Amino acid sequence: MFTFETADQKEVRRFRIAQFNGRPATVKSGGATITGHVRSVMEKEASVPPRWTITIVPMPPKPEAALRPTSRVRPFAEDYF
């Protein structure tokens, strides 16, 4: 699990919407990009300005898409030469 803290209300809203809809969210932290499902968005009660702790369960990276093999069909013109 990946946990971080933020004070950006727009970012918190985006994570809450992703959590509600069950969609993965992406966050960039220290040069690393983490994509996963939001597990919790918790507000710290006694902080000024308000701060939130967000927990994300990372998803495994998608495998690279394999290139399709080329067609083995000869061009039509080659049949007559």
Side-chain angles (χ1 to χ4, degrees):
M1 282 193 284
F2 177 73
T3 303
F4 71 101
E5 195 172 287
T6 184
D8 185 4
Q9 291 180 354
K10 287 183 181 181
E11 191 174 36
V12 171
R13 184 172 191 272
R14 183 172 65 89
F15 286 118
R16 282 187 174 153
I17 290 170
Q19 181 183 20
F20 179 77
N21 292 325
R23 294 185 181 148
T26 301
V27 63
K28 292 181 182 176
S29 175
T33 303
I34 309 291
T35 301
H37 291 283
V38 180
R39 182 172 183 170
S40 68
V41 178
M42 295 175 46
E43 184 176 3
K44 289 196 170 186
E45 297 289 331
S47 64
V48 176
R51 299 188 66 77
W52 291 267
T53 301
I54 300 169
T55 304
I56 296 179
V57 178
M59 295 173 28
K62 291 184 179 180
E64 293 287 326
L67 297 175
R68 287 207 235 159
T70 59
S71 173
R72 295 184 183 215
V73 177
R74 294 185 323 234
F76 180 73
E78 288 183 6
D79 291 339
Y80 296 104
F81 295 108

